[in-house]
Amino acid sequence: MSVSPVSIPTARRRLGAELRRLREAAGLTGEQVIARVGWASASKLSRLENGRSRPDLGDVLDLLDTYSVDGPLRDDLVAVTRAAGDARAWLRSYPVMTARQRGYAELEAGCVEIREWAPVLVPGLLQTPGYARVRFLSSRPLAAGPAENTDAETEVAARLARQSLLTRDATPLRYEAVIDEAALGSRGGPPDVVRGQLVRLRELAARPNVTLRVLPRTATIGDWYLPHTGFSLYGFAHPQDPETLAIEGLSIHLVLTDRTEIDRYTAVFDWLREAALSAADSLVWLTDAAPWSPVPAPRPDSPRRRTTTATPEGVAPGTATPSAPAASNATAGPGALTGPPARRTREVQPHPGR
């Protein structure tokens, strides 16, 4: 069995899940295994089974001996252990990331499907350079320490490198996001940055492997359910790679593989998907929010005016872009489509976040 460098984090999770399965099949508790192999740290086995530490081949061989594993399965797990322990190629691929962004890149490596709920921020895999730069610089005063003081441009470059997962020619991953209308408003940055981000979302939404849904302000989620925070669900092709849930806060970052928790958040995502506009109507929403050039003819019920705002990313220089309508009377999906908010002419102070 061989594992490519980009799948190193996936290999660690696969190895951990298999070691846990073998321990449970042997009828042993974690404490019993620790006592038999003579490890000093009780947390060592937990970190290994959860894919959170670099596996040592000697330690894995001790566990395989304890579980009486031999033959092809033993050979396969030794190969996975060697691949999971070799992080050099992985680190060379992303040398400039903060610890937080590296964690997301590790989850994305090797996965085949991502589903995200974004109530406040445009997800990292969808961000333009300008939007990512604003997000990074706005949160810099809240950095926990020197490790987070990465140069903004190198951090933005690393984020853009992650986005190749969506646009690569060979097996691009399936991506679906429900984005709250509030996350697409003027709080996200200066007007040109926000408009450029909307143009980028319109481009990505047209790709066959990307599904974007806008959740209108007036939409009802489930039986009046209010999601607590944004989250991401990662699916992997190999049956031994557990589906993974990531929840991000300002200073707390949770990564969970517990099946009960995964099922709960999957149910919430299904409610959000049902409440949001369809993919087709969301594409119309994004087109109205940041129209393409040439400028479409004004509609009788939605007059447009030209603006002198700086040209956004994704729009050709010198092309006038109409401002977004203050409101729309159209309805689509479970909730009424209110349309994007009118763009303010002043720059809005950005807020920290992913």
Side-chain angles (χ1 to χ4, degrees), residues 125-188:
L125 287 178
L126 308 178
Q127 293 176 7
T128 64
Y131 188 94
R133 189 175 295 110
V134 169
R135 300 275 59 78
F136 181 79
L137 292 176
S138 67
S139 61
R140 201 170 220 174
L142 303 172
E148 297 298 321
N149 291 330
T150 308
D151 174 71
E153 295 310 311
T154 54
E155 178 73 3
V156 170
R159 181 160 302 189
L160 296 180
R162 289 166 49 203
Q163 297 177 2
S164 63
L165 296 169
L166 299 179
T167 58
R168 63 193 179 194
D169 294 331
T171 61
L173 64 80
R174 298 186 302 275
Y175 182 88
E176 182 175 6
V178 178
I179 306 177
D180 196 295
E181 183 179 344
L184 304 175
S186 57
R187 288 197 187 98

Side-chain angles (χ1 to χ4, degrees), residues 12-22 49 240 242:
R12 290 184 182 180
R13 290 192 297 273
R14 184 180 307 171
L15 175 66
E18 184 64 13
L19 291 175
R20 184 187 307 111
R21 185 191 69 80
L22 290 170
E49 289 187 350
Q240 293 179 1

Side-chain angles (χ1 to χ4, degrees), residues 44-295:
K44 185 174 182 177
L45 180 64
S46 176
R47 293 196 306 272
L48 189 57
E49 289 187 350
N50 287 294
R52 294 177 183 171
S53 63
R54 180 177 181 273
D56 177 81
L57 180 58
D59 291 339
V60 173
L61 291 174
D62 286 342
L63 293 176
L64 296 180
D65 289 340
T66 302
Y67 306 147
S68 301
V69 176
D70 54 18
L73 178 57
R74 185 184 184 95
D75 294 339
D76 286 348
L77 291 177
V78 168
V80 173
T81 300
R82 287 181 172 137
D86 184 8
R88 293 188 298 274
W90 172 256
L91 294 175
R92 285 196 299 270
S93 299
Y94 300 103
V96 297
M97 286 185 177
T98 60
R100 178 73 62 92
Q101 188 174 178
R102 186 183 298 278
Y104 278 105
E106 289 178 348
L107 283 171
E108 293 157 3
C111 75
V112 296
E113 179 183 40
I114 297 177
R115 291 170 292 165
E116 298 196 275
W117 156 234
V120 178
L121 300 173
V122 173
L125 287 178
L126 308 178
Q127 293 176 7
T128 64
Y131 188 94
R133 189 175 295 110
V134 169
R135 300 275 59 78
F136 181 79
L137 292 176
S138 67
S139 61
R140 201 170 220 174
L142 303 172
E148 297 298 321
N149 291 330
T150 308
D151 174 71
E153 295 310 311
T154 54
E155 178 73 3
V156 170
R159 181 160 302 189
L160 296 180
R162 289 166 49 203
Q163 297 177 2
S164 63
L165 296 169
L166 299 179
T167 58
R168 63 193 179 194
D169 294 331
T171 61
L173 64 80
R174 298 186 302 275
Y175 182 88
E176 182 175 6
V178 178
I179 306 177
D180 196 295
E181 183 179 344
L184 304 175
S186 57
R187 288 197 187 98
D192 61 313
V193 170
V194 172
R195 197 167 298 172
Q197 180 62 69
L198 291 171
V199 169
R200 177 59 175 161
L201 291 175
R202 172 63 176 80
E203 293 173 346
L204 290 170
R207 296 188 61 86
N209 62 305
V210 176
T211 302
L212 302 183
R213 301 178 191 273
V214 176
L215 182 72
R217 292 187 181 92
T218 55
T220 301
I221 305 165
D223 189 13
W224 301 99
Y225 179 77
L226 293 177
H228 297 81
T229 186
F231 59 86
S232 304
L233 291 162
Y234 300 85
F236 301 88
H238 199 286
Q240 293 179 1
D241 293 337
E243 189 173 4
T244 302
L245 165 70
I247 306 171
E248 182 183 26
L250 176 61
S251 57
I252 298 175
H253 178 55
L254 298 177
V255 177
L256 306 171
T257 56
D258 179 76
R259 188 67 253 173
T260 300
E261 294 297 335
I262 297 291
D263 289 343
R264 288 173 178 170
Y265 279 85
T266 296
V268 172
F269 188 84
D270 289 342
W271 291 345
L272 289 161
R273 179 197 283 132
E274 183 178 353
L277 301 179
S278 68
D281 288 336
S282 296
L283 196 58
V284 172
W285 193 100
L286 292 168
T287 301
D288 287 343
W292 294 92
S293 57
V295 178

Side-chain angles (χ1 to χ4, degrees), residues 19-39 41-46 49 63 66-67:
L19 291 175
R20 184 187 307 111
R21 185 191 69 80
L22 290 170
R23 175 177 58 78
E24 293 172 349
L28 298 173
T29 65
E31 291 77 8
Q32 290 172 326
V33 171
I34 292 295
R36 290 193 184 189
V37 297
W39 289 349
S41 173
S43 64
K44 185 174 182 177
L45 180 64
S46 176
E49 289 187 350
L63 293 176
T66 302
Y67 306 147

